Amino acid sequence: MDDETSLLKSQLYDACQDACSNNPDKLFSQEDLMGLGVLPPKDIKKLLQIIQLLTKERLLAPVHFHNSLAWRLRSEADAAKYKQLATEDQMLVYEIIDLAGAEGAWQQDIKKRLNLQDIALRKALKELESKRFIHQFTTVENATKKMWIKTGLQPSARATGGPWFTDQYLDEAFIDVLQSVVMRLIKEKGSYRSTGERSAARSVSPVLPKKGVIRGGMSEAAVKSKKRTADAMSRDDTAPVTGPVSRFRGAVRIPLPAGYADYPTTEEITASLVESQVAKGQPLKTEHVQELIDILVWENRIEEVRMGDRVGYRAVRISKQNPEYVRVDSEDFWEPRTNGLTTVPCGKCPVFELCEEGGPVWAGGCEYFDKWLA
């Protein structure tokens, strides 16, 4: 190898390091390597020669990407480990585990790819494990599968199940708790809390005394034409004057006006969960919280709200025939799931047992049917 080739090899490797400083797993295609500006333009022969040298020194790892060939950069420290391996079997086994990354490599898959005997494979794995280059782990998909991963890497969320699995078992209680907290955050930040307090000094309209008639043997027209005497009307003065009876509805949650652009986003919900420390020390990330939110959307408990280039979420409340406010602490903010029988007024009628033809309540005179059919 001449000095010019050695210089170009070092420059290309340094340029790759700078290009993947923000993304260590960045893949380089042939066009990407040529676009780094190290090699002469359109000198494909020189590029392939430099790639071959870097691959031979384990500084570039070839990978298949979208039906084409690409290369992943490998650090000099990781490349130096290959020089410590005594046999070709150890190098091949370690390279497969190395390229598998956080997903890990299944022992049976290594055996099939290298066409090794069980004795040779177990020997190579034992040597690599003794050098502390690899270690074994189990996945949530199949605890009996022998998986191997490079030392220093943590298994991916796909392999371990992420924060939703504890000791390889789905932690349903933990998921339910987080879902309820997410639901409460969306409910609180995505609606307005009205306390229902009203001013004590309200104007009260006076209640006028009812008009009376003189009872006697006169005709109905004559009776209606006669006014009551002063003594008869004075008895109404002793009756207490009361204002209209108002019902205190208490604190309720009401929808926010149209165009509201401050509904909670996934990032804001994640920050609130981390701050509240309800995750039992689990490192919750935005993608984990998004999984919980997606489940709530599929269950029709929340819905997306577009706010420009952001996506927020608000609670879904199924409307009733007679919409009423719901208390803050009420569990009926979201009504139970309904079907064709429970959506008709009869499915929710509180006096269903009294309904009959000619009775006090009957279907022909039901006012709720008109609203439901409208």
Side-chain angles (χ1 to χ4, degrees):
M1 182 174 56
D2 55 17
D3 294 339
E4 180 184 0
T5 304
S6 178
L7 179 61
L8 290 176
K9 184 192 70 173
S10 300
Q11 290 178 347
L12 183 61
Y13 182 78
D14 293 339
C16 291
Q17 282 185 316
D18 296 337
C20 64
S21 57
N22 297 327
N23 183 15
D25 296 328
K26 179 179 176 60
L27 298 179
F28 295 92
S29 64
Q30 180 175 309
E31 292 76 12
D32 295 334
L33 294 175
M34 185 62 73
L36 294 176
V38 176
L39 298 172
K42 299 182 180 180
D43 194 350
I44 303 298
K45 184 177 179 180
K46 196 64 175 180
L47 174 64
L48 295 178
Q49 182 184 3
I50 301 300
I51 291 176
Q52 186 177 6
L53 292 173
L54 291 173
T55 304
K56 186 177 180 180
E57 296 181 8
R58 309 288 181 175
L59 294 174
L60 283 181
V63 294
H64 292 282
F65 182 70
H66 290 172
N67 297 327
S68 62
L69 187 62
W71 292 268
R72 178 184 288 119
L73 191 68
R74 186 180 283 139
S75 66
E76 295 180 354
D78 289 339
K81 292 181 179 180
Y82 286 88
K83 299 179 181 180
Q84 304 178 29
L85 302 179
T87 64
E88 185 71 19
D89 291 345
Q90 294 178 18
M91 291 184 184
L92 294 175
V93 171
Y94 182 68
E95 186 172 21
I96 291 178
I97 298 175
D98 186 13
L99 294 177
E103 297 294 333
W106 183 27
Q107 183 168 322
Q108 293 297 324
D109 188 29
I110 299 174
K111 177 183 175 182
K112 292 179 181 179
R113 292 177 62 180
L114 299 179
N115 195 21
L116 289 177
Q117 299 294 329
D118 289 337
I119 298 177
L121 178 59
R122 286 197 297 266
K123 183 179 179 181
L125 291 172
K126 185 177 180 181
E127 289 293 332
L128 293 173
E129 190 175 17
S130 64
K131 294 178 182 295
R132 296 185 179 179
F133 286 178
I134 62 174
H135 67 272
Q136 189 176 349
F137 73 100
T138 55
T139 65
V140 296
E141 296 177 353
N142 192 343
T144 61
K145 294 176 65 174
K146 292 184 179 181
M147 303 291 296
W148 295 91
I149 191 172
K150 189 173 68 171
T151 300
L153 292 181
Q154 291 293 332
S156 64
R158 177 184 175 185
T160 61
W164 317 131
F165 283 79
T166 301
D167 297 332
Q168 300 180 5
Y169 291 97
L170 184 64
D171 196 344
E172 297 182 3
F174 178 57
I175 296 175
D176 292 340
V177 170
L178 283 183
Q179 274 191 334
S180 62
V181 175
V182 170
M183 195 73 247
R184 178 175 56 82
L185 290 174
I186 295 176
K187 179 180 173 182
E188 291 178 354
K189 296 183 179 181
S191 61
Y192 171 70
R193 185 178 187 271
S194 176
T195 59
E197 297 178 356
R198 301 178 182 178
S199 174
R202 295 184 61 192
S203 60
V204 179
S205 301
V207 179
L208 299 177
K210 297 179 180 180
K211 291 184 178 181
V213 296
I214 301 175
R215 299 185 180 278
M218 294 187 294
S219 64
E220 182 178 357
V223 170
K224 291 183 178 180
S225 63
K226 294 291 184 179
K227 293 185 177 180
R228 295 180 298 172
T229 63
D231 293 338
M233 289 189 294
S234 65
R235 287 193 293 270
D236 290 335
D237 297 338
T238 59
V241 178
T242 59
V245 179
S246 62
R247 184 181 64 181
F248 180 74
R249 57 179 173 82
V252 295
R253 289 278 175 189
I254 59 178
L256 292 167
Y260 184 74
D262 200 19
Y263 288 102
T265 61
T266 305
E267 292 77 11
E268 295 171 351
I269 297 172
T270 304
S272 299
L273 290 177
V274 173
E275 184 180 358
S276 61
Q277 299 180 354
V278 297
K280 301 189 301 184
Q282 293 284 356
L284 280 181
K285 298 181 181 180
T286 305
E287 54 266 26
H288 299 149
V289 178
Q290 187 64 52
E291 293 175 0
L292 295 175
I293 293 176
D294 290 341
I295 294 175
L296 294 174
V297 172
W298 294 332
E299 292 178 350
N300 198 29
R301 299 181 65 187
I302 62 175
E303 62 183 356
E304 292 185 357
V305 182
R306 294 286 178 177
M307 304 175 297
D309 57 348
R310 300 188 308 148
V311 177
Y313 298 92
R314 65 184 176 189
V316 175
R317 178 171 181 255
I318 303 175
S319 61
K320 303 179 181 179
Q321 283 80 15
N322 262 340
E324 293 181 356
Y325 289 119
V326 180
R327 295 183 62 85
V328 175
D329 56 352
S330 174
E331 295 295 333
D332 294 331
F333 190 88
W334 297 274
E335 298 183 9
R337 302 280 76 82
T338 59
N339 53 36
L341 296 178
T342 57
T343 54
V344 298
C346 297
K348 298 180 180 180
C349 182
V351 290
F352 180 79
E353 293 78 5
L354 302 179
C355 184
E356 60 180 356
E357 190 73 22
V361 180
W362 62 296
C366 181
E367 60 181 88
Y368 301 108
F369 262 114
D370 296 336
K371 297 180 181 179
W372 182 66
L373 295 173

